[in-house]
Amino acid sequence: QDVEELVNVKDAVLSCATAEDKDGWQYLFPVKNAVLRSRLALRCLDKWPLDACLEILAYCISDLGITDELKASLQSRKEELQVYQKILSVQNEPLWNDWQDLKKACTDDPQAVMNIILKAKDYELCEEWEHLYPVPREDLINLHREHLLRLLEMGDMEKALQLLQRIEDPGICLAISEQSLDKHPNLAASHFLADYLTAHFYANLTTARRNEIQALYMGSKVLLTLPELSRVNYFHLSSRPLLVLEQLLMNMKVDWVAVTVQTLHQLLAGQEVGFTVEDIDNLLSKYAEKALNFPFALKEKRSGECPREHCFSLGKEGPISPRNNFTNCATTDRSLQQNLFHQEFVPPEKPPPKQLWIPDDTETICMVCKTERFTMFNRRHHCRRCGRLVCSSCSTKKMAVEACRENLSRVCDQCYGYYNRE
């Protein structure tokens, strides 16, 4: 009994030292009473340095003589301090002297703290911090959206799904999924988001939005059937699968067209996306007709000589005689004569980057000669110097172009003529 009383007296003395001394955390380790030690630790933490706090908390938690409730309180404080420790480690310039200053900033200026974490792109830390302090709904949406996009960019679909599942508010989950999709991420990410929205929020979407997402889902499915290296050429059309099909037809990718049509037919079953199987059939019929009826003339026509005995066209019934095609040749002659005297074209000061080239689907006629219509057999070409869409006859030359990887790049005749004047 005397020994027990002595222990109690010793614990009482150590407790006083713990509470009064600025380095009082050191006196907690010899305290025998586990409950007393743990309660003193929780009461005095705010006075001690971070490393000491974490050390004493870990020591108290490891003692089997404390209740579950007290252990939970100790664990909660430990997790809070670990978050402060991570935030202090990601700041480039020391804004807070210690964790106590940081804790005060979390209450007084939470936006500044969150900006520091976001700047470091430590989204998981942001999520941990958000559990400690209330974050406005809009900021919370932005935080989760950036985290989701980061995971999708890394290709970690499993963690992306886990993030969405952790969000308890369905409205926030819907908002970040839609906003992420509107950011036009890569093909796999777009497919993931379209699939997730369709599976979990179909009833919450407007009809227009459903059609848009369903079309994007189909477009991404179609692109995934293409050879991997070629997908980037059609990615900008991923939300318009019918236009992907038309582009493949124009590029004469017959094998790819067959797989695309089969894929779209399977995906369209019972779905409403703004186009139907009939629209696909009409598009195929249109290009089948063009394949049977397209203008053809030997290249001499561009020199101005245009021998009529060589000019003809293929129709559904076979070749049309030069006599019946005389009017077309005369029209071509007049167009060529007019083009000889057009105002001189001046290229832009610097070659435009690829993303600023004229998009394929905006022009149907060569932007140089103004006569050649782009078809399945008369393909579009981009001039690397001015970015315009031109026919093959108006882009017969090559020259060195700034910022192009090729030694000699395909350019339109006007750009070539401008930089190679005698």
Side-chain angles (χ1 to χ4, degrees):
Q1 185 177 356
D2 292 340
V3 172
E4 185 178 348
E5 287 180 2
L6 183 61
V7 169
N8 291 338
V9 171
K10 185 178 178 181
D11 281 355
V13 173
L14 290 170
S15 298
C16 291
T18 298
E20 297 298 329
D21 199 296
K22 65 177 183 178
D23 296 323
W25 61 274
Q26 301 176 59
Y27 302 110
L28 272 183
F29 290 100
V31 173
K32 297 295 183 182
N33 189 319
V35 174
L36 177 62
R37 184 196 317 122
S38 298
R39 286 177 176 169
L40 277 170
L42 290 172
R43 183 180 302 174
C44 301
L45 278 177
D46 290 342
K47 298 189 297 184
W48 301 332
L50 182 59
D51 291 341
C53 291
L54 291 171
E55 185 179 353
I56 192 64
L57 285 170
Y59 182 73
C60 292
I61 290 170
S62 66
D63 199 311
L64 301 177
I66 60 174
T67 63
D68 290 342
E69 183 180 358
L70 190 54
K71 186 174 183 178
S73 298
L74 291 166
Q75 188 66 40
S76 177
R77 288 307 305 272
K78 180 185 175 185
E79 291 172 358
E80 177 188 354
L81 291 175
Q82 286 174 330
V83 171
Y84 296 144
Q85 185 181 48
K86 291 176 184 177
I87 296 174
L88 290 171
S89 69
V90 299
Q91 58 176 346
N92 292 326
E93 299 178 0
L95 300 178
W96 308 288
N97 295 322
D98 48 42
W99 74 268
Q100 289 89 346
D101 286 346
L102 172 57
K103 181 180 179 181
K104 188 174 184 300
C106 288
T107 304
D108 297 344
D109 192 4
Q111 188 64 52
V113 178
M114 191 169 77
N115 288 342
I116 292 291
I117 306 173
L118 286 174
K119 188 176 180 180
K121 293 188 176 181
D122 195 335
Y123 299 107
E124 292 182 359
L125 175 56
C126 251
E127 200 174 338
E128 292 177 37
W129 180 79
E130 171 253 320
H131 289 307
L132 298 175
Y133 295 93
V135 178
R137 178 185 173 85
E138 202 57 41
D139 290 339
L140 195 58
I141 290 173
N142 292 338
L143 162 64
H144 286 311
R145 183 191 66 235
E146 294 305 313
H147 189 187
L148 179 62
L149 287 170
R150 175 72 170 174
L151 292 172
L152 292 173
E153 180 185 343
M154 295 166 57
D156 199 334
M157 306 305 174
E158 185 177 350
K159 281 192 176 180
L161 182 59
Q162 290 171 358
L163 169 63
L164 291 170
Q165 290 171 339
R166 284 197 302 271
I167 300 171
E168 297 178 358
D169 187 335
I172 291 179
C173 196
L174 172 61
I176 68 168
S177 300
E178 286 199 274
Q179 289 181 18
S180 298
L181 187 62
D182 290 338
K183 291 285 185 179
H184 305 293
N186 60 49
L187 179 58
S190 296
H191 183 74
F192 171 88
L193 290 167
D195 194 19
Y196 182 83
L197 283 166
T198 303
H200 293 84
F201 294 104
Y202 189 80
N204 302 86
L205 305 171
T206 64
T207 302
R209 188 63 161 164
R210 287 177 191 172
N211 290 349
E212 178 188 343
I213 291 175
Q214 193 63 32
L216 180 60
Y217 176 77
M218 290 186 180
S220 62
K221 277 282 193 182
V222 166
L223 292 186
L224 288 172
T225 67
L226 305 182
E228 187 172 354
L229 294 178
S230 300
R231 293 171 191 168
V232 65
N233 299 325
Y234 303 91
F235 177 68
H236 64 290
L237 302 175
S238 57
S239 60
R240 304 169 69 184
L242 206 59
L243 202 53
V244 174
L245 176 59
E246 183 167 11
Q247 194 69 52
L248 293 174
L249 286 165
M250 292 180 67
N251 293 341
M252 294 185 289
K253 304 294 186 183
V254 180
D255 293 340
W256 301 359
V257 166
V259 177
T260 297
V261 170
Q262 182 181 9
T263 303
L264 287 175
H265 277 194
Q266 292 171 350
L267 294 172
L268 277 171
Q271 300 290 342
E272 294 183 7
V273 293
F275 68 92
T276 64
V277 172
E278 185 178 354
D279 294 318
I280 296 176
D281 292 343
N282 290 338
L283 186 61
L284 294 173
S285 298
K286 171 185 172 183
Y287 278 86
E289 183 176 354
K290 285 184 177 183
L292 294 172
N293 185 17
F294 65 95
F296 177 84
L298 293 183
K299 197 167 183 178
E300 284 83 355
K301 74 170 187 176
R302 299 196 60 79
S303 68
E305 298 173 1
C306 192
R308 287 173 175 77
E309 64 270 22
H310 294 301
C311 291
F312 62 96
S313 67
L314 293 180
K316 294 179 181 179
E317 303 300 326
I320 301 173
S321 67
R323 186 180 299 106
N324 294 337
N325 203 35
F326 181 83
T327 304
N328 292 336
C329 289
T331 303
T332 303
D333 286 344
R334 286 195 299 272
S335 298
L336 288 171
Q337 290 170 3
Q338 291 171 2
N339 286 334
L340 290 175
F341 302 101
H342 62 72
Q343 186 177 2
E344 182 181 30
F345 171 73
V346 179
E349 184 177 347
K350 289 189 175 182
K354 188 173 182 178
Q355 59 267 29
L356 295 181
W357 288 354
I358 302 296
D360 285 349
D361 56 347
T362 59
E363 297 291 336
T364 59
I365 295 176
C366 173
M367 298 176 71
V368 172
C369 66
K370 310 293 186 184
T371 57
E372 292 289 343
R373 184 173 294 277
F374 299 127
T375 68
M376 188 174 179
F377 295 94
N378 192 17
R379 297 179 58 191
R380 296 167 169 82
H381 298 278
H382 275 104
C383 171
R384 268 51 174 178
R385 185 58 190 75
C386 64
R388 294 181 300 169
L389 287 166
V390 296
C391 65
S392 57
S393 298
C394 290
S395 55
T396 59
K397 303 289 194 297
K398 288 187 176 183
M399 70 179 199
V401 176
E402 181 185 349
C404 278
R405 288 179 296 179
E406 305 99 331
N407 291 332
L408 295 176
S409 303
R410 186 170 196 156
V411 296
C412 68
D413 292 353
Q414 286 182 336
C415 283
Y416 185 87
Y418 183 85
Y419 288 103
N420 291 274
R421 289 175 291 187
E422 295 181 359

